[in-house]
Amino acid sequence: MQKKEAPLHNNLAWPTVQRLSEYLIILEQFAEGGREVISSSELAEVYSNTPSQVRQDIFRLPNTGRVGQGYRIKELAEAIRETLGLDSVTKIVIVGCGRMGMTLAQHIPFGEHGMKLCGIFDNDPTIIGLEIEGTKVEDVSILEKKVVESAVSMAVLCVPASVAQELADRLVSSGIKGILNLTRQRLKVPPGIYVQYEQIICSFMQLAYKCKQSPRPAPNL
Amino acid sequence: MQKKEAPLHNNLAWPTVQRLSEYLIILEQFAEGGREVISSSELAEVYSNTPSQVRQDIFRLPNTGRVGQGYRIKELAEAIRETLGLDSVTKIVIVGCGRMGMTLAQHIPFGEHGMKLCGIFDNDPTIIGLEIEGTKVEDVSILEKKVVESAVSMAVLCVPASVAQELADRLVSSGIKGILNLTRQRLKVPPGIYVQYEQIICSFMQLAYKCKQSPRPAPNL
DNA sequence: TTAACATTGATAAAATTTTAACAGCCATTG
DNA sequence: CAATGGCTGTTAAAATTTTATCAATGTTAA
């Protein structure tokens, strides 16, 4: 069976993109553990979906698995990175260094995923100047200057909701391409600019819905 | 036009549940601002989808909008809360009070969304005893006892990946129903227990994919 | 060498989700 | 009071996404 040529303009379905990013995390962990090969059914087991869906997701990738053998973990991970656009460095800034911004700055292994943290900005004089994970917090007044200078392409927005739109506008006018929005403010941006909303409270609500489907089980200690 | 009776066993499509939780945040903001009524097209505009989809999502809710008038914001919000299971109090614990756990404890307005934070647990003696937003951090060794006692139904997991599965097991055996997992460890849980994964790094990757679709625009200052 | 086995790549069918269309209702206006 | 306009509830069609199926292929064992 011959693998069809990968289409040049690879347009993946959004649910597929979401799963691929999660597969990548799983693959990286397997790789750390020294595993070299994984089958679609094993990945499906860990991810809690079906082998068929895993194969369908991987099907669009440039990579080739080995029929009868499974996938080389490193090759597959690389193929996912490439497809997601993580093979070349993505420059990022964090806007708002309150509790959440600071936590993200310290918590997220940007470097491990093809991203480079190029700046952290805040307007609080007691925070400006602090060094977090090797990056100094700068005054938000020089945000535009820095974003343009470094040609930053993505921003994380962790400011109070009341100023979120204003800062989004400033980021957009500085040429930013995507915003990861952790505020509860919906943002209005021009076409071609992408906003990804990340509201943990919504995840709670969604989990609450799942939990409602059946009664709480008895403890089993 | 007569509204059909709401089906008793209201089973919503998952994408619908996701959107409803986000609509709720938007509605709450409009309500704060003093607005009383909203139309499907207005909500669609803010959310960036279509009026048709908004109406389709709302269609399954027990609530009734007013034909020709739009939706009463408070009624609609209440209907969403009810449907999502946020009308009765959901008891929650936070497991792991490192940087992320602490940030969540301080950052998330549990009370405003029908949830009650019933405990924060860690194993670090320098952290145990701290009081965060009115809740004392307790020793994780009494986790099971507390979860059973208070009949807690959801947990947030913010521990190192290496101990995530172990703690998930302990939570499950204590009768927990749902886990919001912020670690990068995939969890294995029995059927009927729900895990919601929340990996910010994945949101970054997904945003990177969106951004890859078109080139970075020129700044426009 | 040949047969048995495991597992992918690919396609087709099934299921789900989104979009479109419109009748009916309420408020408002002339 | 009738006509107009705006917007929902509902259904049907279209599009997308998931699942099922199976031929093809490399590996291993007899």
Side-chain angles (χ1 to χ4, degrees), chain A residues 205 212, chain B residues 20 23-28 31 36 58 61-64 71-89 112-114:
Chain A
M205 298 196 229
K212 215 186 74 163
Chain B
L20 284 177
Y23 295 164
L24 182 52
I25 302 289
I26 295 174
L27 293 172
E28 284 169 351
E36 305 233 316
I58 292 175
L61 266 41
N63 175 71
T64 312
Y71 305 94
R72 301 280 176 90
I73 290 178
K74 280 188 181 165
E75 276 178 22
L76 181 52
E78 198 46 43
I80 294 178
R81 280 191 208 100
E82 194 180 311
T83 302
L84 257 36
L86 301 169
D87 46 346
S88 62
V89 172
E112 286 172 29
H113 292 97

Side-chain angles (χ1 to χ4, degrees), chain B residues 1-4 40 56 59 65 71:
Chain B
M1 173 182 295
Q2 292 298 66
K3 169 109 178 182
K4 254 201 328 198
S40 59
Q56 190 65 260
F59 174 47
Y71 305 94

Side-chain angles (χ1 to χ4, degrees), chain A residues 1 13 15 19 50 52-53 55-56 67 69:
Chain A
M1 174 184 296
R19 285 190 298 268
T50 64
S52 195
Q53 186 167 67
R55 288 205 301 280
Q56 191 64 259
V67 173
Q69 300 312 105

Side-chain angles (χ1 to χ4, degrees), chain B residues 10-38:
Chain B
N10 219 336
N11 227 341
L12 299 179
W14 185 244
T16 297
V17 171
Q18 296 187 94
R19 284 190 300 267
L20 284 177
S21 69
E22 304 192 48
Y23 295 164
L24 182 52
I25 302 289
I26 295 174
L27 293 172
E28 284 169 351
Q29 282 183 304
F30 271 103
E32 268 178 49
R35 271 292 286 290
E36 305 233 316
V37 172
I38 195 170

Side-chain angles (χ1 to χ4, degrees), chain A residues 63-117:
Chain A
N63 174 72
T64 313
R66 320 276 160 130
V67 173
Q69 300 312 105
Y71 304 94
R72 299 280 175 91
I73 288 177
K74 280 187 183 165
E75 275 178 23
L76 181 52
E78 198 46 45
I80 293 177
R81 279 191 210 100
E82 194 180 311
T83 302
L84 257 34
L86 301 169
D87 46 348
S88 62
V89 172
T90 303
K91 294 181 181 175
I92 295 197
V93 292
I94 294 179
V95 181
C97 192
R99 206 167 301 287
M100 186 54 84
M102 205 177 295
T103 299
L104 291 183
Q106 294 170 328
H107 185 263
I108 304 199
F110 293 104
E112 285 173 31
H113 293 95
M115 302 179 208
K116 182 170 186 320
L117 181 56

